[in-house]
Amino acid sequence: MKKTVGIVGANGYTGSELIRLLAFHPHVTLSFLYSRSNSGTRISDLYPDLTTVCEMVLTDQPEEVDILFLCLPHKESQNWLTQNPVKEETLVIDLGNDFRLDGNFESRDFIYGLPEINKKQLSGSKSIANPGCFATAIQLALLPLAEKESLDEVFTTGITGSTGAGQSLQPTTHFTWRNDNVSAYKTLTHQHVDEILKQIVLFNHKNVSLNFVPWRGDFARGIFTSSTVKTDLGLSDIYQLYKDFYEEAPFVTVSEKAIDLKQVVNTNRCVIQIEKSGNVAVIHSAIDNLLKGASGQAVQNMNIAMGWEENAGLNLKPIAF
């Protein structure tokens, strides 16, 4: 029997991506799509790409389900759970940042949902904090070196598409502003820095300095990051380190060829490439911010928690043209 699923905040980008994925998932069925602002509206009227895929009507009345996804703005998940208690046996996956740093909430202990490092803890879990998009791309780029305790200071730049800013229209998400334009934002103060460092330090066993400069790109979706570090390891040794680290990670590919964003857009994949000159190495990583950086990873976490095949519902091909 298929498990029932509810999505809170189904009218946003991550919610609509979850609908697209779960509508074809072999082990679940959608029970309700929650939205206060668009209650009574057919989801396909908001997102025409969901026409014939999902014709459910949004509601402001949640139901009891087996699996609950929270796709709310940051800092709202905790309030929603307080006002709408769910049964203990319900699997709750939060795509916001409420529980990434402190996973304790009432009787729940949220597990940090980066499958490449926490798969064992995620198995059977009932509370999962989905990582942030930049946090996912940067951690996957740095974790193998952190495990070798090789990180001291890291300089990272990363560019993201307009969907990373959410659905609400802002001056910097207008087409006329984004088109043919690039800008830096939240330089050295991005909200994902603390999240990244918390996990990296667990592997590195010493403090790491992360200097992160995020950029806005003139495209809709995707993240490309480049992290610069100093290391005495040779390039071939670094590649072997990464290939060994991700040997059992079905959605991470370590490439010795140049990578680009189109390899990952519309997939749950992360591709990594490494370059080195002297004692300086640069680790490039690319993901789709709405999939491996959000909804796809949430489905991956659900699969692991429920004991299903990890790639169920996630066999997606990138859009190359």
Side-chain angles (χ1 to χ4, degrees):
M1 180 180 295
K2 290 187 175 183
K3 298 295 183 180
T4 56
V5 171
I7 301 175
V8 177
N11 57 309
Y13 284 143
T14 57
S16 66
E17 284 294 279
L18 271 174
I19 296 168
R20 180 170 72 93
L21 296 173
L22 297 176
F24 300 104
H25 196 283
H27 303 306
V28 304
T29 183
L30 289 166
S31 289
F32 76 87
L33 307 177
Y34 180 96
S35 171
R36 287 191 297 265
S37 58
N38 289 283
S39 178
T41 303
R42 194 179 301 276
I43 189 64
S44 59
D45 289 336
L46 293 179
Y47 294 97
D49 61 297
L50 293 175
T51 301
T52 73
V53 173
C54 180
E55 300 287 354
M56 293 176 66
V57 174
L58 295 163
T59 179
D60 58 4
Q61 299 296 317
E63 306 169 11
E64 285 194 353
V65 289
D66 299 309
I67 303 164
L68 182 69
F69 291 93
L70 301 177
C71 302
L72 295 167
H74 298 316
K75 303 303 180 185
E76 289 192 17
S77 296
Q78 184 169 325
N79 290 336
W80 195 91
L81 287 174
T82 300
Q83 298 168 11
N84 303 272
V86 299
K87 55 187 180 180
E88 289 187 6
E89 56 267 34
T90 298
L91 168 58
V92 176
I93 301 177
D94 179 35
L95 280 74
N97 67 358
D98 288 35
F99 309 112
R100 292 171 186 164
L101 294 176
D102 182 2
N104 295 318
F105 175 75
E106 297 180 353
S107 62
R108 290 182 176 270
D109 184 15
F110 281 79
I111 302 299
Y112 188 70
L114 191 64
E116 288 73 20
I117 58 173
N118 283 341
K119 188 178 296 186
K120 184 176 180 180
Q121 297 94 315
L122 290 167
S123 179
S125 174
K126 293 298 182 184
S127 308
I128 298 173
N130 218 54
C133 51
F134 266 127
T136 296
I138 294 171
Q139 286 179 87
L140 292 176
L142 296 177
L143 282 166
L145 281 174
E147 190 179 48
K148 292 290 272 188
E149 301 181 22
S150 296
L151 296 181
D152 290 302
E153 189 165 26
V154 182
F155 294 88
T156 299
T157 57
I159 190 165
T160 184
S162 58
T163 53
Q167 187 194 38
S168 298
L169 192 60
Q170 304 172 44
T172 56
T173 57
H174 279 283
F175 174 80
T176 49
W177 192 93
R178 282 263 180 171
N179 187 46
D180 296 327
N181 200 11
V182 172
S183 68
Y185 72 105
K186 296 182 180 178
T187 297
L188 305 178
T189 62
H190 195 275
Q191 66 271 16
H192 289 176
V193 170
D194 290 342
E195 176 186 345
I196 296 165
L197 289 176
K198 180 180 179 181
Q199 305 302 318
I200 292 295
V201 168
L202 293 176
F203 280 77
N204 204 56
H205 301 298
K206 60 181 177 181
N207 289 332
V208 177
S209 174
L210 175 62
N211 306 281
F212 175 40
V213 181
W215 296 79
R216 302 180 182 97
D218 63 341
F219 50 92
R221 58 196 295 166
I223 282 177
F224 194 107
T225 73
S226 298
S227 297
T228 302
V229 302
K230 288 186 176 181
T231 177
D232 292 327
L233 292 171
L235 183 59
S236 60
D237 293 328
I238 298 174
Y239 264 114
Q240 192 59 53
L241 177 69
Y242 274 68
K243 289 177 180 178
D244 290 344
F245 191 93
Y246 292 118
E247 184 177 9
E248 297 182 7
F251 293 109
V252 179
T253 300
V254 181
S255 172
E256 296 189 23
K257 299 178 181 179
I259 64 173
D260 60 77
L261 204 54
K262 282 192 174 182
Q263 289 176 256
V264 297
V265 170
N266 195 51
T267 79
N268 193 54
R269 296 172 56 204
C270 173
V271 293
I272 295 171
Q273 180 211 358
I274 305 142
E275 299 184 85
K276 193 170 189 284
S277 178
N279 68 340
V280 177
V282 178
I283 305 97
H284 306 293
S285 65
I287 65 170
D288 185 316
N289 60 294
L290 292 180
L291 289 172
K292 184 57 176 167
S295 302
Q297 186 150 250
V299 171
Q300 184 181 357
N301 284 326
M302 173 189 73
N303 290 338
I304 295 169
M306 299 299 294
W308 299 327
E309 55 274 26
E310 191 170 347
N311 63 348
L314 293 172
N315 289 315
L316 306 169
K317 181 193 176 298
I319 299 173
F321 305 106

